[in-house]
Amino acid sequence: MKGIVFNVLEEIVTEHYGEEGWEGLLDRAQVTGAYTSLGNYEDDEMMRLVGAACEVTGLNTADCLQWVGREMLPRFEQAYPGVFDHYPDSIGLLQALNDVIHPEVVKLYPGARVPVFDCTRTGPQELAMDYRSERGLCSLAHGLILGTGDRYGQTVHVEHPECQHRGDGRCHFQIHVEPNVG
């Protein structure tokens, strides 16, 4: 996993729990915490940090990853200014993940293994999305989807009726975005 993800996690934890909260998380997870944005780190290290965060927050793994994903989105926007401005709303951004955003990520971070999102517009404010990744971080993706709503001032509802963690053959999201009023 790329170090930028660890750096953003550190920002989130530090903002909500202070520097001592981050240091405590590192100790609890038994990791060093020395991450460079371009570095490559074992997925297991991230999962140990998430596990430690679950212990501290009392959240289960899925809810913790969802919270982190939602908190990550604005930080990604800060790291890549102007990128999100090209999309009018949550659905526009989500539909651009595979064809526009993730190819740029791979250019910036060679060797990055980005997830694949297969999107189908199912209505004016609805999107069906399949998530594919060997990492199985669908809950993180769920949080990032919710974060798009925060970014665009929209209420986003996400259903996750199929999940590989529950024995289904895929991870599938049904996304409904309430239209902006006014």
Side-chain angles (χ1 to χ4, degrees):
M1 187 172 293
K2 287 296 181 185
I4 184 75
V5 178
F6 289 86
N7 297 151
V8 170
L9 178 63
E10 179 180 358
E11 286 179 32
I12 294 166
V13 171
T14 302
E15 179 182 312
H16 290 277
Y17 297 97
E19 190 65 41
E20 62 283 348
W22 175 247
E23 293 299 326
L25 204 64
L26 295 174
D27 290 343
R28 193 177 280 258
Q30 299 179 344
V31 297
T32 64
Y35 305 110
T36 63
S37 64
L38 295 175
N40 290 312
Y41 304 93
E42 294 297 322
D43 293 355
D44 177 64
E45 194 158 335
M46 176 58 73
M47 294 315 296
R48 290 196 336 247
L49 285 165
V50 169
C54 290
E55 291 173 18
V56 170
T57 62
L59 296 172
N60 65 41
T61 302
D63 289 342
C64 188
L65 282 169
Q66 188 175 325
W67 172 71
V68 168
R70 192 169 193 164
E71 291 281 325
M72 274 185 170
L73 192 96
R75 287 163 178 84
F76 283 151
E77 183 173 21
Q78 288 173 349
Y80 311 105
V83 172
F84 293 6
D85 295 341
H86 299 289
Y87 307 100
D89 56 21
S90 297
I91 289 178
L93 177 65
L94 293 170
Q95 288 182 300
L97 287 172
N98 282 341
D99 298 328
V100 180
I101 295 173
H102 283 165
E104 290 301 314
V105 169
V106 172
K107 283 181 196 173
L108 288 170
Y109 302 101
R113 296 182 341 250
V114 296
V116 175
F117 295 97
D118 296 317
C119 298
T120 304
R121 193 82 176 247
T122 56
Q125 297 297 120
E126 295 178 355
L127 193 65
M129 176 187 282
D130 287 344
Y131 163 88
R132 291 184 287 136
S133 171
E134 73 244 16
R135 290 190 172 105
L137 296 175
C138 53
S139 294
L140 184 71
H142 187 147
L144 285 162
I145 294 165
L146 292 171
T148 66
D150 299 339
R151 160 54 171 94
Y152 291 99
Q154 298 175 303
T155 301
V156 175
H157 302 279
V158 181
E159 292 180 34
H160 193 168
E162 296 176 61
C163 182
Q164 289 179 320
H165 296 289
R166 295 190 303 261
D168 295 314
R170 65 179 181 166
C171 289
H172 178 76
F173 298 108
Q174 287 296 127
I175 302 161
H176 175 78
V177 180
E178 290 185 20
N180 289 341
V181 182

